[in-house]
Amino acid sequence: MIIRKLFKFENAHIVRNCSTLRCRENLHGHSYQVEVLLESNYLDHGQMVYDFGLTKLHIKELIESFDHAITLWDGDDVAYRTDMKKHSARWVELPVSPSAEQFARVIFLMVERVLSCTGMVNGEREVQLHSIIVHETQTGYAQGFREDAYSPLMGTIALESIHFSPQVRAEWSRQDLWEVLLRGEQLINPKII
C-alpha cells in the first residue's frame, strides 16, 4: 500500500544552464508542493502504513528547511553564493543545481535517511520511501524514485555536501539533527504525539 503526505514551502533559486533565460539568469521563486509517498506490505498497530503525524517530525523539519530560503548550488559563482549568504539568513546549499528534478532527488535522500534512522515503536514494518514528487508550479512537477536519487548519470549527491544555514538549523527540534542523520544514529519515534 502507498500513502502520500503533502508538504509545502516557498523558495528562491537560480537554475544555471537551463534553456529558459529568465530561470538561468534571474533569482526567482516558487510555491513548492512536495509529495512524500511511503509504502509497506504491512500495517502498524493503528492499522496504518505510517502515522501521518509522525511525518510531521523530522521529515517535515528537513523539508521546511527550504521554506522562505534561497537554495544555492555549490557549483555556482563563489561571489554570488557569498552575497546570498550575506543577505539571507535562511539558505540551503546543495551539490547539484536546484531544479525540480534535483529537489526530488535531494529530498528523496533526506527522507530515506530519516526513515533508515528512525526507531519504529508502533508495529510499523518495512516502511519504505516509494518516491518524491516536487511540484514547482501548478502545471509542472518532477517525480524521483530510488534509482534516480542514486543515479550517477544525474550527478552524485553526497548528503555530507548539503549545508543548512545557522538560522535554518536553529529552527529544528534539535540543532544537530543533520549531523545525527549523517552519522546514522537512531531517532526513536515517540509512542504518542
Side-chain angles (χ1 to χ4, degrees):
M1 180 172 286
I2 295 175
I3 62 170
R4 166 195 168 268
K5 180 66 177 167
L6 179 68
F7 300 94
K8 299 177 181 182
F9 64 85
E10 307 293 328
N11 190 269
H13 67 171
I14 294 178
V15 182
R16 301 291 186 198
N17 306 316
C18 70
S19 300
T20 306
L21 193 62
R22 285 185 180 183
C23 294
R24 71 188 282 165
E25 293 185 356
N26 299 288
L27 184 64
H28 63 284
H30 298 281
S31 296
Y32 288 91
Q33 293 189 35
V34 176
E35 297 180 51
V36 175
L37 289 88
L38 303 177
E39 64 182 345
S40 179
N41 291 317
Y42 301 95
L43 299 179
D44 66 11
H45 297 315
Q47 303 298 296
M48 302 175 180
V49 168
Y50 195 71
D51 191 314
F52 287 132
L54 295 172
T55 67
K56 295 177 183 177
L57 302 174
H58 305 302
I59 292 172
K60 182 179 181 182
E61 281 184 303
L62 289 177
I63 292 173
E64 285 190 348
S65 297
F66 296 98
D67 189 43
H68 285 77
I70 181 166
T71 302
L72 304 165
W73 171 38
D74 69 8
D76 209 331
D77 181 76
V78 174
Y80 164 72
R81 289 185 287 127
T82 301
D83 282 345
M84 290 299 101
K85 291 176 182 179
K86 179 181 172 185
H87 295 287
S88 178
R90 289 185 58 82
W91 53 263
V92 180
E93 190 170 58
L94 304 177
V96 290
S97 185
S99 64
E101 292 83 351
Q102 295 290 27
F103 264 129
R105 296 177 70 227
V106 165
I107 294 170
F108 187 100
L109 293 171
M110 291 167 47
V111 171
E112 184 180 61
R113 180 58 65 100
V114 169
L115 290 173
S116 72
C117 290
T118 298
M120 311 286 182
V121 297
N122 195 32
E124 303 91 348
R125 292 192 294 167
E126 298 180 18
V127 177
Q128 299 289 320
L129 180 56
H130 175 271
S131 62
I132 297 289
I133 301 174
V134 175
H135 297 262
E136 192 172 78
T137 65
Q138 289 185 359
T139 60
Y141 70 81
Q143 184 169 10
F145 298 88
R146 180 169 285 104
E147 58 269 20
D148 303 318
Y150 290 98
S151 173
L153 301 175
M154 296 183 191
T156 303
I157 300 172
L159 289 177
E160 297 80 11
S161 299
I162 299 172
H163 302 285
F164 300 93
S165 72
Q167 187 179 90
V168 167
R169 298 165 75 85
E171 294 177 10
W172 293 341
S173 58
R174 50 185 300 175
Q175 290 187 15
D176 67 341
L177 175 62
W178 192 236
E179 285 74 25
V180 167
L181 292 169
L182 290 178
R183 290 190 300 263
E185 295 176 16
Q186 194 170 52
L187 299 164
I188 305 296
N189 273 345
K191 290 186 179 183
I192 296 175
I193 48 174

